[in-house]
Amino acid sequence: AEASTVIVSDPVAERRELAMKLGATHALDPATDDVVAACLDLTEHGVDFAFDAVGRNALIETGINATRFGGSTVL
């Protein structure tokens, strides 16, 4: 099965644009967008999977808060 909604959060516009070209359905700027609220609005229950590739505590917390009950946050 493939993902129907792929949400990317990145502060760098070029990386958001690349993510959209590579198949992301939504690209958020964490400097101006409320990432958790946007994820909840786009999915109704939160994301199934959140992946953090940075390792900063605030970003890990964002990933956890955006993940639905029973979903997975991958660090």
Side-chain angles (χ1 to χ4, degrees):
E2 69 181 55
S4 60
T5 303
V6 177
I7 306 165
V8 172
S9 170
D10 197 296
V12 179
E14 292 82 12
R15 292 195 295 235
R16 291 192 307 272
E17 291 169 14
L18 179 59
M20 293 296 290
K21 288 179 185 175
L22 295 175
T25 56
H26 302 84
L28 307 173
D29 181 347
T32 58
D33 298 316
D34 182 334
V35 174
V36 174
C39 288
L40 294 174
D41 286 344
L42 292 166
T43 64
E44 297 181 25
H45 304 299
V47 299
D48 293 324
F49 298 95
F51 297 90
D52 176 74
V54 178
R56 290 184 46 214
N57 288 341
L59 300 178
I60 293 169
E61 184 177 338
T62 297
I64 291 169
N65 290 335
T67 303
R68 69 170 175 78
F69 181 77
S72 297
T73 302
V74 180
L75 307 177

